Amino acid sequence: MNDLLPLWISLAVLLLAGLGFVGVSASRRSKTLPPAERRAEIEDARTDDDRTDDDAATRPASATDVLDLPPTETEVGVDPDVAVPGVVVDVPEPPAGRLVRLRERLARSGSPLGARLLAVLSRDNLTEDDWDELEETLLLADVGAGPATELIDTLRTQVRVQGVKDPASVRAMLRSALVELVDPTLDRSLSTSATTTDGVKVPAVVLVVGVNGTGKTTTVGKLTRVLVADGNEVILGAADTFRAAAADQLTTWGERVGVETVRSFKDGADPAAVAFDAVKTGKERGVDVVLVDTAGRLQNKAGLMDELGKISRVITKEAPLTEVLLVLDATTGQNGLNQARVFAEVAGVTGIVLTKLDGTAKGGIVVAVQRELGVPVKLVGLGEGPDDLAPFDPEEFVDGILQG
């Protein structure tokens, strides 16, 4: 037996060495695994009982978790990073009085349209060449042929009957004619009041449409600030799922004023699904207004019609559409009118938002687009600032034109 002792000791040493080698190999293998596989391996080694409440708190919430909805193909949800407790949000400037800034900017730019009209009308003994110059000025300002002719006829009659000559009288005459042309009788109010149906608060739903590049998503962000400044609770729907940065851009606008954004976390998701979930979420939360941004592709009119039609249909399953706002670039002239015609046909536009209106000689687009579509300009973009979106007022606008 004593003779075998050295043999048993040798075998034990070899066994222990072998076990140590296996342990080291496993450790090295774990360290060389890609991070994702290593995390999976660690998770597999843990049981549910081992996981703590802290784990659940730090685990990223999915769209389904946030909305408490069954899993969907588009995985739509409220961005979990919005409205974090303790985050300071902006206080938007009240909308009242914003249009005064337009008058100031038009004055600084020299207001070419008003200055030219006043210069011609102040001449003694207006000739046919003078009237032709007036008409040309109006056409260059995108007023449109019909409204331009109408304005010239009105001015001709007043000059002949009243015989106005002094600058103050000329300005008053022109102001009156321009205000009438812009039409102060149109209802320019926004339908953004929530209603109650069977005891349930139903939010107003505003669909924003327009060609990409006109400032549509930025306008939705600025309109959010207008609504928040007026005391409304708002939810945003990022239904422009074809432009990669659109949802991120809209989410950023919402975060600045503490407004949540319902968006897709999946590339190329169905825009109608996003819009539907935005309205559904708004209804569940009892908010006042749901603002839905949409894609603006005009390459295929039939495709655009189908897409916007589907969005409208699915939205109305949850709440009625109260506004369809078309965003137009005021500097695009006739091209902008062509875009307006297409969207008016497919989307049932109820109001116009004109961007880039400050300091431009193209202010006549206000008249042209209203005549073309039969709907009013309700909001105007006055500049690049976050609060440079104002309710449109015909008299303030005309005064801005004539102030240069």
Side-chain angles (χ1 to χ4, degrees):
M1 183 68 180
N2 290 335
D3 294 338
L4 296 177
L5 185 60
L7 178 62
W8 286 111
I9 292 173
S10 299
L11 289 173
V13 169
L14 289 174
L15 179 61
L16 289 172
L19 290 173
F21 176 79
V22 171
V24 170
S25 297
S27 175
R28 286 178 179 171
R29 175 180 173 275
S30 177
K31 290 180 180 178
T32 56
L33 282 173
E37 291 184 24
R38 190 158 69 249
R39 284 196 302 270
E41 190 173 74
I42 293 170
E43 286 297 312
D44 288 340
R46 299 170 64 187
T47 65
D48 288 339
D49 292 335
D50 293 328
R51 303 187 185 190
T52 66
D53 291 338
D54 289 338
D55 293 327
T58 57
R59 178 171 51 87
S62 68
T64 301
D65 292 335
V66 174
L67 275 182
D68 194 24
L69 295 174
T72 63
E73 184 178 337
T74 53
E75 197 182 7
V76 178
V78 176
D79 192 310
D81 295 328
V82 176
V84 178
V87 173
V88 178
V89 297
D90 291 351
V91 178
E93 176 187 328
R98 288 187 186 183
L99 202 58
V100 173
R101 292 207 300 273
L102 175 61
R103 295 175 58 178
E104 296 170 353
R105 288 170 183 169
L106 288 172
R108 287 198 299 269
S109 70
S111 187
L113 174 59
R116 290 170 187 167
L117 293 175
L118 287 170
V120 174
L121 287 171
S122 298
R123 296 170 186 169
D124 292 330
N125 301 318
L126 292 173
T127 65
E128 284 301 319
D129 288 340
D130 294 327
W131 290 113
D132 289 342
E133 184 179 344
L134 279 173
E135 186 171 16
E136 182 181 356
T137 300
L138 292 169
L139 293 175
L140 289 174
D142 289 331
V143 170
T149 299
E150 181 182 320
L151 180 61
I152 293 297
D153 288 345
T154 299
L155 293 174
R156 274 181 181 268
T157 300
Q158 292 188 7
V159 168
R160 183 170 60 250
V161 172
Q162 299 177 14
V164 293
K165 294 295 181 184
D166 64 282
S169 298
V170 169
R171 181 183 291 269
M173 176 187 68
L174 180 57
R175 180 186 186 280
S176 176
L178 286 173
V179 168
E180 183 177 350
L181 194 66
V182 177
D183 196 350
T185 66
L186 294 174
D187 181 7
R188 302 178 192 276
S189 61
L190 287 175
S191 298
T192 54
S193 297
T195 57
T196 302
T197 303
D198 296 329
V200 177
K201 184 178 181 179
V202 179
V205 181
V206 179
L207 190 67
V208 182
V209 302
V211 178
N212 290 337
T214 59
K216 178 171 50 63
T217 301
T218 298
T219 296
V220 176
K222 291 182 179 182
L223 179 54
T224 302
R225 297 178 68 90
V226 170
L227 294 170
V228 169
D230 280 338
N232 293 286
E233 291 185 62
V234 182
I235 275 186
L236 300 176
D240 183 354
T241 59
F242 295 92
R243 188 166 63 89
D248 292 337
Q249 183 182 356
L250 194 64
T251 299
T252 299
W253 277 102
E255 287 174 344
R256 290 174 182 170
V257 288
V259 169
E260 294 177 317
T261 300
V262 175
R263 56 176 295 177
S264 171
F265 298 101
K266 192 175 191 178
D267 292 337
D270 183 0
V274 179
F276 176 82
D277 280 352
V279 176
K280 185 174 186 293
T281 303
K283 191 174 179 181
E284 291 172 349
R285 301 282 181 86
V287 303
D288 301 299
V289 186
V290 178
L291 275 178
V292 180
D293 186 22
T294 62
R297 301 159 300 135
L298 275 179
Q299 293 87 344
N300 185 333
K301 181 179 172 182
L304 176 68
M305 183 181 299
D306 292 342
E307 182 180 303
L308 291 178
K310 181 179 178 182
I311 290 174
S312 297
R313 288 194 302 274
V314 299
I315 283 177
T316 53
K317 291 179 181 179
E318 285 291 323
L321 264 176
T322 56
E323 288 278 4
V324 179
L325 298 177
L326 171 63
V327 179
L328 290 177
D329 184 334
T331 66
T332 56
Q334 189 60 44
N335 186 47
L337 287 179
N338 292 335
Q339 297 170 6
R341 292 187 192 100
V342 173
F343 279 99
E345 290 174 15
V346 304
V349 175
T350 60
I352 308 295
V353 183
L354 281 178
T355 62
K356 305 177 187 177
L357 190 60
D358 56 315
T360 175
K362 299 291 188 179
I365 190 70
V366 169
V367 176
V369 73
Q370 287 185 163
R371 292 292 183 90
E372 180 68 33
L373 303 186
V375 297
V377 171
K378 294 191 173 185
L379 296 161
V380 288
L382 313 177
E384 300 299 324
D387 291 324
D388 285 342
L389 184 73
F392 182 74
D393 182 279
E395 295 194 10
E396 290 277 8
F397 172 67
V398 170
D399 287 340
I401 288 177
L402 296 178
Q403 200 169 338

